[in-house]
Amino acid sequence: MKQFAVVLFSSTAAVLAAFLSTAPLAFGSHGNGQDGRTNFRTWRMAPSISSAWDPALSNGATIWDNVLNQCHDFQQVTSTNEHTLLYKVDNYDGKFGTFALVWTNHAGMAFDGAETWHANVNANPGGSSLDLWSVAGHEFGHVLSLAHSGHFSLNSSNPTMANVYDYGLTYFRSLESYDRSHEQNLYPPGSC
């Protein structure tokens, strides 16, 4: 494992700050979801993303759908109607820079094409690859308007919304109590 931590959004933090939002903005369609939840948010993959990425991206969204008493649900769609578009951008700041980002209006999520992405949900990434499931889970947290947690050390008890992440790690594949409690604070039961 590399002995450094890459801070998400660190290399272009001043520029990217304009793209991030702390207000709960929704995207995609709203109304009663298929499972009876009040709000659902739709997303789809751009044609530039390989279908091999689908399970990892879906799992990244699903970790947030499993929070107790939540009032939202992510739903993947294939239509071109209103939705958040996930796509891969070639070299927007190069390897070891910003891994991924979400736009302020949550109309897009981008993954840096210069990075080596591990999309296999049934295996762990090597030390030189980024776990797509983990990074997608973090970015879907931003879609819900969750900010970084303030955790700057690399350890398996870090929340998914931690400020740091590194190659070869998978512990962002699940939520910690910090993530769940902050989501519930932002979207309290009965507020939807």
Side-chain angles (χ1 to χ4, degrees), residues 99-129:
F99 300 149
L101 58 90
V102 173
W103 274 250
T104 300
N105 64 0
H106 301 165
M109 181 186 298
F111 299 87
D112 193 340
E115 300 292 349
T116 302
W117 292 98
H118 173 83
N120 185 344
V121 298
N122 298 311
N124 291 334
S128 61
S129 299

PDB file of all heavy atoms in Angstrom, residues 99-129:
ATOM      1  N   PHE A  99     -10.139  11.990  -7.522  1.00  0.00           N
ATOM      2  CA  PHE A  99     -10.619  10.725  -8.067  1.00  0.00           C
ATOM      3  C   PHE A  99     -11.959  10.893  -8.770  1.00  0.00           C
ATOM      4  O   PHE A  99     -12.201  10.331  -9.822  1.00  0.00           O
ATOM      5  CB  PHE A  99     -10.786   9.691  -6.961  1.00  0.00           C
ATOM      6  CG  PHE A  99      -9.530   9.374  -6.203  1.00  0.00           C
ATOM      7  CD1 PHE A  99      -9.602   9.009  -4.874  1.00  0.00           C
ATOM      8  CD2 PHE A  99      -8.287   9.437  -6.798  1.00  0.00           C
ATOM      9  CE1 PHE A  99      -8.457   8.693  -4.158  1.00  0.00           C
ATOM     10  CE2 PHE A  99      -7.135   9.132  -6.092  1.00  0.00           C
ATOM     11  CZ  PHE A  99      -7.221   8.763  -4.767  1.00  0.00           C
ATOM     12  N   ALA A 100     -12.862  11.636  -8.145  1.00  0.00           N
ATOM     13  CA  ALA A 100     -14.223  11.774  -8.658  1.00  0.00           C
ATOM     14  C   ALA A 100     -14.836  13.040  -8.092  1.00  0.00           C
ATOM     15  O   ALA A 100     -14.330  13.601  -7.113  1.00  0.00           O
ATOM     16  CB  ALA A 100     -15.063  10.558  -8.265  1.00  0.00           C
ATOM     17  N   LEU A 101     -15.932  13.496  -8.702  1.00  0.00           N
ATOM     18  CA  LEU A 101     -16.610  14.687  -8.203  1.00  0.00           C
ATOM     19  C   LEU A 101     -18.070  14.670  -8.591  1.00  0.00           C
ATOM     20  O   LEU A 101     -18.489  13.943  -9.481  1.00  0.00           O
ATOM     21  CB  LEU A 101     -15.930  15.965  -8.701  1.00  0.00           C
ATOM     22  CG  LEU A 101     -15.807  16.178 -10.218  1.00  0.00           C
ATOM     23  CD1 LEU A 101     -17.014  16.909 -10.756  1.00  0.00           C
ATOM     24  CD2 LEU A 101     -14.546  16.938 -10.513  1.00  0.00           C
ATOM     25  N   VAL A 102     -18.839  15.491  -7.864  1.00  0.00           N
ATOM     26  CA  VAL A 102     -20.271  15.655  -8.117  1.00  0.00           C
ATOM     27  C   VAL A 102     -20.516  17.132  -8.353  1.00  0.00           C
ATOM     28  O   VAL A 102     -19.981  17.973  -7.635  1.00  0.00           O
ATOM     29  CB  VAL A 102     -21.110  15.157  -6.913  1.00  0.00           C
ATOM     30  CG1 VAL A 102     -22.587  15.489  -7.097  1.00  0.00           C
ATOM     31  CG2 VAL A 102     -20.917  13.667  -6.709  1.00  0.00           C
ATOM     32  N   TRP A 103     -21.324  17.468  -9.350  1.00  0.00           N
ATOM     33  CA  TRP A 103     -21.641  18.859  -9.645  1.00  0.00           C
ATOM     34  C   TRP A 103     -22.593  19.429  -8.589  1.00  0.00           C
ATOM     35  O   TRP A 103     -23.384  18.716  -7.988  1.00  0.00           O
ATOM     36  CB  TRP A 103     -22.317  18.956 -11.010  1.00  0.00           C
ATOM     37  CG  TRP A 103     -21.357  19.054 -12.135  1.00  0.00           C
ATOM     38  CD1 TRP A 103     -21.118  20.140 -12.910  1.00  0.00           C
ATOM     39  CD2 TRP A 103     -20.503  18.007 -12.630  1.00  0.00           C
ATOM     40  NE1 TRP A 103     -20.168  19.836 -13.850  1.00  0.00           N
ATOM     41  CE2 TRP A 103     -19.766  18.540 -13.698  1.00  0.00           C
ATOM     42  CE3 TRP A 103     -20.273  16.689 -12.257  1.00  0.00           C
ATOM     43  CZ2 TRP A 103     -18.836  17.799 -14.411  1.00  0.00           C
ATOM     44  CZ3 TRP A 103     -19.343  15.950 -12.957  1.00  0.00           C
ATOM     45  CH2 TRP A 103     -18.644  16.514 -14.013  1.00  0.00           C
ATOM     46  N   THR A 104     -22.573  20.745  -8.432  1.00  0.00           N
ATOM     47  CA  THR A 104     -23.420  21.428  -7.456  1.00  0.00           C
ATOM     48  C   THR A 104     -24.885  21.073  -7.636  1.00  0.00           C
ATOM     49  O   THR A 104     -25.588  20.790  -6.678  1.00  0.00           O
ATOM     50  CB  THR A 104     -23.263  22.960  -7.569  1.00  0.00           C
ATOM     51  OG1 THR A 104     -21.903  23.280  -7.331  1.00  0.00           O
ATOM     52  CG2 THR A 104     -24.131  23.679  -6.579  1.00  0.00           C
ATOM     53  N   ASN A 105     -25.361  21.085  -8.852  1.00  0.00           N
ATOM     54  CA  ASN A 105     -26.776  20.797  -9.088  1.00  0.00           C
ATOM     55  C   ASN A 105     -27.054  19.297  -9.144  1.00  0.00           C
ATOM     56  O   ASN A 105     -28.164  18.887  -9.444  1.00  0.00           O
ATOM     57  CB  ASN A 105     -27.245  21.470 -10.377  1.00  0.00           C
ATOM     58  CG  ASN A 105     -26.541  20.942 -11.607  1.00  0.00           C
ATOM     59  OD1 ASN A 105     -25.682  20.062 -11.520  1.00  0.00           O
ATOM     60  ND2 ASN A 105     -26.884  21.481 -12.747  1.00  0.00           N
ATOM     61  N   HIS A 106     -26.037  18.496  -8.863  1.00  0.00           N
ATOM     62  CA  HIS A 106     -26.139  17.039  -8.821  1.00  0.00           C
ATOM     63  C   HIS A 106     -26.590  16.443 -10.142  1.00  0.00           C
ATOM     64  O   HIS A 106     -27.163  15.354 -10.175  1.00  0.00           O
ATOM     65  CB  HIS A 106     -27.044  16.579  -7.675  1.00  0.00           C
ATOM     66  CG  HIS A 106     -26.554  17.042  -6.341  1.00  0.00           C
ATOM     67  ND1 HIS A 106     -27.324  17.019  -5.230  1.00  0.00           N
ATOM     68  CD2 HIS A 106     -25.371  17.546  -5.953  1.00  0.00           C
ATOM     69  CE1 HIS A 106     -26.636  17.490  -4.211  1.00  0.00           C
ATOM     70  NE2 HIS A 106     -25.453  17.809  -4.627  1.00  0.00           N
ATOM     71  N   ALA A 107     -26.335  17.149 -11.224  1.00  0.00           N
ATOM     72  CA  ALA A 107     -26.714  16.645 -12.543  1.00  0.00           C
ATOM     73  C   ALA A 107     -25.644  15.750 -13.137  1.00  0.00           C
ATOM     74  O   ALA A 107     -25.834  15.201 -14.210  1.00  0.00           O
ATOM     75  CB  ALA A 107     -26.997  17.807 -13.487  1.00  0.00           C
ATOM     76  N   GLY A 108     -24.526  15.599 -12.451  1.00  0.00           N
ATOM     77  CA  GLY A 108     -23.485  14.737 -12.980  1.00  0.00           C
ATOM     78  C   GLY A 108     -22.501  14.306 -11.918  1.00  0.00           C
ATOM     79  O   GLY A 108     -22.292  14.993 -10.920  1.00  0.00           O
ATOM     80  N   MET A 109     -21.932  13.159 -12.127  1.00  0.00           N
ATOM     81  CA  MET A 109     -20.875  12.612 -11.291  1.00  0.00           C
ATOM     82  C   MET A 109     -19.811  12.122 -12.263  1.00  0.00           C
ATOM     83  O   MET A 109     -20.133  11.463 -13.252  1.00  0.00           O
ATOM     84  CB  MET A 109     -21.411  11.446 -10.454  1.00  0.00           C
ATOM     85  CG  MET A 109     -20.408  10.813  -9.516  1.00  0.00           C
ATOM     86  SD  MET A 109     -21.065   9.326  -8.679  1.00  0.00           S
ATOM     87  CE  MET A 109     -22.433   9.991  -7.744  1.00  0.00           C
ATOM     88  N   ALA A 110     -18.569  12.481 -12.023  1.00  0.00           N
ATOM     89  CA  ALA A 110     -17.506  12.109 -12.943  1.00  0.00           C
ATOM     90  C   ALA A 110     -16.396  11.370 -12.214  1.00  0.00           C
ATOM     91  O   ALA A 110     -16.097  11.662 -11.059  1.00  0.00           O
ATOM     92  CB  ALA A 110     -16.938  13.349 -13.622  1.00  0.00           C
ATOM     93  N   PHE A 111     -15.797  10.422 -12.903  1.00  0.00           N
ATOM     94  CA  PHE A 111     -14.681   9.641 -12.391  1.00  0.00           C
ATOM     95  C   PHE A 111     -13.482   9.910 -13.295  1.00  0.00           C
ATOM     96  O   PHE A 111     -13.608   9.890 -14.511  1.00  0.00           O
ATOM     97  CB  PHE A 111     -15.030   8.154 -12.394  1.00  0.00           C
ATOM     98  CG  PHE A 111     -16.209   7.831 -11.535  1.00  0.00           C
ATOM     99  CD1 PHE A 111     -17.502   7.915 -12.047  1.00  0.00           C
ATOM    100  CD2 PHE A 111     -16.044   7.481 -10.216  1.00  0.00           C
ATOM    101  CE1 PHE A 111     -18.601   7.645 -11.239  1.00  0.00           C
ATOM    102  CE2 PHE A 111     -17.125   7.202  -9.407  1.00  0.00           C
ATOM    103  CZ  PHE A 111     -18.402   7.283  -9.912  1.00  0.00           C
ATOM    104  N   ASP A 112     -12.315  10.169 -12.710  1.00  0.00           N
ATOM    105  CA  ASP A 112     -11.128  10.511 -13.485  1.00  0.00           C
ATOM    106  C   ASP A 112     -10.645   9.303 -14.279  1.00  0.00           C
ATOM    107  O   ASP A 112     -10.301   8.264 -13.709  1.00  0.00           O
ATOM    108  CB  ASP A 112     -10.021  11.008 -12.558  1.00  0.00           C
ATOM    109  CG  ASP A 112      -8.884  11.666 -13.318  1.00  0.00           C
ATOM    110  OD1 ASP A 112      -8.736  11.439 -14.534  1.00  0.00           O
ATOM    111  OD2 ASP A 112      -8.131  12.431 -12.695  1.00  0.00           O
ATOM    112  N   GLY A 113     -10.628   9.442 -15.588  1.00  0.00           N
ATOM    113  CA  GLY A 113     -10.207   8.372 -16.479  1.00  0.00           C
ATOM    114  C   GLY A 113      -8.726   8.070 -16.421  1.00  0.00           C
ATOM    115  O   GLY A 113      -8.278   7.049 -16.938  1.00  0.00           O
ATOM    116  N   ALA A 114      -7.935   8.942 -15.781  1.00  0.00           N
ATOM    117  CA  ALA A 114      -6.505   8.683 -15.654  1.00  0.00           C
ATOM    118  C   ALA A 114      -6.216   7.644 -14.574  1.00  0.00           C
ATOM    119  O   ALA A 114      -5.126   7.074 -14.534  1.00  0.00           O
ATOM    120  CB  ALA A 114      -5.761   9.983 -15.326  1.00  0.00           C
ATOM    121  N   GLU A 115      -7.175   7.402 -13.696  1.00  0.00           N
ATOM    122  CA  GLU A 115      -6.995   6.439 -12.620  1.00  0.00           C
ATOM    123  C   GLU A 115      -7.271   5.020 -13.112  1.00  0.00           C
ATOM    124  O   GLU A 115      -7.984   4.820 -14.087  1.00  0.00           O
ATOM    125  CB  GLU A 115      -7.942   6.757 -11.450  1.00  0.00           C
ATOM    126  CG  GLU A 115      -7.742   8.114 -10.830  1.00  0.00           C
ATOM    127  CD  GLU A 115      -6.420   8.251 -10.086  1.00  0.00           C
ATOM    128  OE1 GLU A 115      -5.721   7.234  -9.850  1.00  0.00           O
ATOM    129  OE2 GLU A 115      -6.072   9.390  -9.741  1.00  0.00           O
ATOM    130  N   THR A 116      -6.730   4.053 -12.418  1.00  0.00           N
ATOM    131  CA  THR A 116      -7.023   2.649 -12.685  1.00  0.00           C
ATOM    132  C   THR A 116      -8.161   2.249 -11.763  1.00  0.00           C
ATOM    133  O   THR A 116      -8.001   2.248 -10.534  1.00  0.00           O
ATOM    134  CB  THR A 116      -5.782   1.771 -12.415  1.00  0.00           C
ATOM    135  OG1 THR A 116      -4.713   2.233 -13.228  1.00  0.00           O
ATOM    136  CG2 THR A 116      -6.086   0.312 -12.722  1.00  0.00           C
ATOM    137  N   TRP A 117      -9.313   1.958 -12.346  1.00  0.00           N
ATOM    138  CA  TRP A 117     -10.523   1.667 -11.569  1.00  0.00           C
ATOM    139  C   TRP A 117     -10.754   0.165 -11.483  1.00  0.00           C
ATOM    140  O   TRP A 117     -10.739  -0.539 -12.493  1.00  0.00           O
ATOM    141  CB  TRP A 117     -11.734   2.346 -12.209  1.00  0.00           C
ATOM    142  CG  TRP A 117     -11.662   3.830 -12.095  1.00  0.00           C
ATOM    143  CD1 TRP A 117     -11.239   4.706 -13.048  1.00  0.00           C
ATOM    144  CD2 TRP A 117     -11.999   4.607 -10.949  1.00  0.00           C
ATOM    145  NE1 TRP A 117     -11.296   5.983 -12.567  1.00  0.00           N
ATOM    146  CE2 TRP A 117     -11.761   5.962 -11.278  1.00  0.00           C
ATOM    147  CE3 TRP A 117     -12.476   4.295  -9.677  1.00  0.00           C
ATOM    148  CZ2 TRP A 117     -11.992   6.994 -10.375  1.00  0.00           C
ATOM    149  CZ3 TRP A 117     -12.708   5.326  -8.782  1.00  0.00           C
ATOM    150  CH2 TRP A 117     -12.459   6.664  -9.144  1.00  0.00           C
ATOM    151  N   HIS A 118     -11.025  -0.322 -10.280  1.00  0.00           N
ATOM    152  CA  HIS A 118     -11.353  -1.720 -10.028  1.00  0.00           C
ATOM    153  C   HIS A 118     -12.873  -1.817  -9.900  1.00  0.00           C
ATOM    154  O   HIS A 118     -13.454  -1.292  -8.958  1.00  0.00           O
ATOM    155  CB  HIS A 118     -10.667  -2.196  -8.742  1.00  0.00           C
ATOM    156  CG  HIS A 118     -11.076  -3.563  -8.331  1.00  0.00           C
ATOM    157  ND1 HIS A 118     -10.506  -4.695  -8.862  1.00  0.00           N
ATOM    158  CD2 HIS A 118     -12.004  -3.984  -7.435  1.00  0.00           C
ATOM    159  CE1 HIS A 118     -11.066  -5.751  -8.317  1.00  0.00           C
ATOM    160  NE2 HIS A 118     -11.989  -5.353  -7.451  1.00  0.00           N
ATOM    161  N   ALA A 119     -13.520  -2.475 -10.844  1.00  0.00           N
ATOM    162  CA  ALA A 119     -14.987  -2.536 -10.858  1.00  0.00           C
ATOM    163  C   ALA A 119     -15.535  -3.892 -10.444  1.00  0.00           C
ATOM    164  O   ALA A 119     -16.748  -4.058 -10.363  1.00  0.00           O
ATOM    165  CB  ALA A 119     -15.506  -2.180 -12.253  1.00  0.00           C
ATOM    166  N   ASN A 120     -14.694  -4.859 -10.156  1.00  0.00           N
ATOM    167  CA  ASN A 120     -15.145  -6.196  -9.791  1.00  0.00           C
ATOM    168  C   ASN A 120     -15.627  -6.198  -8.340  1.00  0.00           C
ATOM    169  O   ASN A 120     -14.836  -6.051  -7.414  1.00  0.00           O
ATOM    170  CB  ASN A 120     -14.010  -7.204  -9.976  1.00  0.00           C
ATOM    171  CG  ASN A 120     -14.441  -8.628  -9.724  1.00  0.00           C
ATOM    172  OD1 ASN A 120     -15.491  -8.894  -9.136  1.00  0.00           O
ATOM    173  ND2 ASN A 120     -13.624  -9.569 -10.166  1.00  0.00           N
ATOM    174  N   VAL A 121     -16.923  -6.359  -8.122  1.00  0.00           N
ATOM    175  CA  VAL A 121     -17.484  -6.317  -6.769  1.00  0.00           C
ATOM    176  C   VAL A 121     -17.242  -7.621  -6.001  1.00  0.00           C
ATOM    177  O   VAL A 121     -17.503  -7.673  -4.807  1.00  0.00           O
ATOM    178  CB  VAL A 121     -19.001  -5.988  -6.784  1.00  0.00           C
ATOM    179  CG1 VAL A 121     -19.244  -4.623  -7.385  1.00  0.00           C
ATOM    180  CG2 VAL A 121     -19.788  -7.070  -7.518  1.00  0.00           C
ATOM    181  N   ASN A 122     -16.730  -8.635  -6.678  1.00  0.00           N
ATOM    182  CA  ASN A 122     -16.479  -9.929  -6.031  1.00  0.00           C
ATOM    183  C   ASN A 122     -15.023 -10.135  -5.656  1.00  0.00           C
ATOM    184  O   ASN A 122     -14.634 -11.230  -5.245  1.00  0.00           O
ATOM    185  CB  ASN A 122     -16.931 -11.064  -6.948  1.00  0.00           C
ATOM    186  CG  ASN A 122     -18.417 -10.990  -7.212  1.00  0.00           C
ATOM    187  OD1 ASN A 122     -19.210 -10.854  -6.281  1.00  0.00           O
ATOM    188  ND2 ASN A 122     -18.803 -11.035  -8.469  1.00  0.00           N
ATOM    189  N   ALA A 123     -14.207  -9.102  -5.808  1.00  0.00           N
ATOM    190  CA  ALA A 123     -12.780  -9.211  -5.488  1.00  0.00           C
ATOM    191  C   ALA A 123     -12.283  -7.860  -4.985  1.00  0.00           C
ATOM    192  O   ALA A 123     -12.905  -6.832  -5.220  1.00  0.00           O
ATOM    193  CB  ALA A 123     -11.999  -9.639  -6.728  1.00  0.00           C
ATOM    194  N   ASN A 124     -11.172  -7.900  -4.288  1.00  0.00           N
ATOM    195  CA  ASN A 124     -10.564  -6.668  -3.802  1.00  0.00           C
ATOM    196  C   ASN A 124      -9.592  -6.122  -4.840  1.00  0.00           C
ATOM    197  O   ASN A 124      -8.973  -6.887  -5.574  1.00  0.00           O
ATOM    198  CB  ASN A 124      -9.831  -6.919  -2.484  1.00  0.00           C
ATOM    199  CG  ASN A 124     -10.790  -7.225  -1.354  1.00  0.00           C
ATOM    200  OD1 ASN A 124     -11.940  -6.812  -1.374  1.00  0.00           O
ATOM    201  ND2 ASN A 124     -10.317  -7.966  -0.377  1.00  0.00           N
ATOM    202  N   PRO A 125      -9.443  -4.804  -4.890  1.00  0.00           N
ATOM    203  CA  PRO A 125      -8.519  -4.198  -5.853  1.00  0.00           C
ATOM    204  C   PRO A 125      -7.070  -4.420  -5.438  1.00  0.00           C
ATOM    205  O   PRO A 125      -6.777  -4.645  -4.264  1.00  0.00           O
ATOM    206  CB  PRO A 125      -8.873  -2.714  -5.796  1.00  0.00           C
ATOM    207  CG  PRO A 125      -9.396  -2.520  -4.409  1.00  0.00           C
ATOM    208  CD  PRO A 125     -10.095  -3.799  -4.056  1.00  0.00           C
ATOM    209  N   GLY A 126      -6.191  -4.342  -6.404  1.00  0.00           N
ATOM    210  CA  GLY A 126      -4.767  -4.359  -6.097  1.00  0.00           C
ATOM    211  C   GLY A 126      -4.350  -3.010  -5.527  1.00  0.00           C
ATOM    212  O   GLY A 126      -5.115  -2.044  -5.531  1.00  0.00           O
ATOM    213  N   GLY A 127      -3.137  -2.934  -5.054  1.00  0.00           N
ATOM    214  CA  GLY A 127      -2.642  -1.728  -4.412  1.00  0.00           C
ATOM    215  C   GLY A 127      -2.496  -0.521  -5.323  1.00  0.00           C
ATOM    216  O   GLY A 127      -2.308   0.595  -4.849  1.00  0.00           O
ATOM    217  N   SER A 128      -2.616  -0.713  -6.635  1.00  0.00           N
ATOM    218  CA  SER A 128      -2.484   0.426  -7.554  1.00  0.00           C
ATOM    219  C   SER A 128      -3.817   0.799  -8.205  1.00  0.00           C
ATOM    220  O   SER A 128      -3.847   1.605  -9.126  1.00  0.00           O
ATOM    221  CB  SER A 128      -1.450   0.106  -8.638  1.00  0.00           C
ATOM    222  OG  SER A 128      -1.869  -1.017  -9.395  1.00  0.00           O
ATOM    223  N   SER A 129      -4.925   0.202  -7.718  1.00  0.00           N
ATOM    224  CA  SER A 129      -6.249   0.476  -8.280  1.00  0.00           C
ATOM    225  C   SER A 129      -7.155   1.116  -7.246  1.00  0.00           C
ATOM    226  O   SER A 129      -7.023   0.883  -6.049  1.00  0.00           O
ATOM    227  CB  SER A 129      -6.913  -0.829  -8.737  1.00  0.00           C
ATOM    228  OG  SER A 129      -6.170  -1.458  -9.732  1.00  0.00           O
TER     229      SER A 129
END
